[in-house]
Amino acid sequence: ALRAHDQVALRIPFQQPVKFFAYPECWGIFLSILRSARKSIRHTAYTIDAPEVLDAYEDRVKHEVSIQLLAEKSKAYGPSPKGEPEFLKTLHEFPRPAGPGQVHIKLFVPPSRRKRDGSADWPTALHAKSVIIDDEIAIVGSLNATQNSSTYFEMITVVRLETEVLAQKEIFCRWFADYGEDYDPDSRPGTSAG
């Protein structure tokens, strides 16, 4: 049997522990790595409107891959003035197998910390872009999971160093637990469900 590290090496097209990709190659690499998930995907995203990403997620859920998504709250309930779809509702409604495949969505709610001069010392919006696959591969960079990212100059770094992937996972898990509010598709800001 192959060790986990060897299995990861077979799933991505390079051997280096850290590799940088730029446009146009980064979009294909990003999708390829998403589609390679076997156990889990942990994704921090401002928004998702690329059909290829939603298709990859739906396919992975059917293969019992668990997905945790921390998304920007202001983008959660669309459509926005730009016409973005209600992507979280789409993810939430994926058909799920009886096994461990699941989708857990939380919305980023920043802590209300202020500096002495009254300005915020914490971002008021989530602009982080990271994906952790099977707790073995981390993808970080400027690539959004949007249609524009497939045609604009974006960059990613793919990391397979155990300590760096662990650090990304710890950050994600802390934000997911401490600054994530469970997504309710039947609720919209300023309304009450039921």
Side-chain angles (χ1 to χ4, degrees), residues 78-190:
S80 75
K82 294 181 182 178
E84 291 164 333
E86 293 187 20
F87 73 95
L88 294 179
K89 191 169 185 178
T90 300
L91 284 169
H92 185 77
E93 293 174 350
F94 281 164
R96 291 176 178 79
Q102 60 181 331
V103 178
H104 189 179
I105 302 167
K106 287 194 174 188
L107 306 176
F108 179 72
V109 180
S112 56
R113 294 188 292 191
R114 299 274 175 195
K115 294 181 182 177
R116 290 184 183 189
D117 67 2
S119 63
D121 69 347
W122 189 264
T124 57
L126 179 70
H127 201 64
K129 301 162 192 82
S130 66
V131 180
I132 303 162
I133 304 294
D134 297 336
D135 295 337
E136 298 170 348
I137 303 168
I139 304 171
V140 295
S142 64
L143 184 74
N144 285 299
T146 62
Q147 292 178 30
N148 285 344
S149 287
S150 65
T151 58
Y152 285 110
F153 186 79
E154 303 283 359
M155 298 171 281
I156 60 172
T157 302
V158 180
V159 180
R160 295 189 304 177
L161 291 170
E162 185 176 342
T163 55
E164 296 301 320
V165 173
L166 179 60
Q168 285 294 320
K169 178 184 173 185
E170 287 177 5
I171 292 168
F172 177 89
C173 290
R174 184 170 6 110
W175 283 23
F176 199 76
D178 296 345
Y179 308 121
E181 171 185 285
D182 283 322
Y183 168 69
D184 178 359
D186 298 321
S187 175
R188 289 179 181 268

Side-chain angles (χ1 to χ4, degrees), residues 37-39 57-66 97 100-101:
R38 294 187 174 139
K39 297 180 288 185
Y57 278 175
E58 185 171 20
D59 178 68
R60 294 297 80 205
V61 169
K62 288 177 184 174
H63 287 88
E64 301 185 350
V65 172
S66 294

